[in-house]
């Protein structure tokens, strides 16, 4: 599941790059950036030991 979180984060980071290039609003860039950060944090948290596999 951690791999899926990292894949989603990769797509979202790509989306942030495209939004910046297209001149989107700061709100939309920030929102997608926060979602990407949450996906990375979820992937890292999923890989931490001590969970329920």
């Amino acid at each position: 599941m951690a791999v899926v979180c990292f894949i989603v984060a990769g797509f979202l980071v790509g989306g942030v790059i495209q939004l910046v290039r297209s001149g989107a609003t700061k709100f939309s860039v920030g929102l997608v950036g926060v979602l990407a950060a949450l996906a990375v944090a979820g992937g890292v948290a999923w890989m931490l030991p001590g969970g329920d596999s």
Side-chain angles (χ1 to χ4, degrees):
M1 192 65 179
V3 174
V4 174
C5 287
F6 289 126
I7 290 171
V8 169
F11 280 119
L12 289 170
V13 169
V16 168
I17 293 169
Q18 289 300 324
L19 285 170
V20 169
R21 285 184 183 172
S22 68
T25 63
K26 289 183 181 181
F27 175 76
S28 61
V29 173
L31 180 64
V32 177
V34 167
L35 291 175
L38 287 174
V40 169
V44 170
W46 209 287
M47 290 180 2
L48 292 176
D52 289 324
S53 296

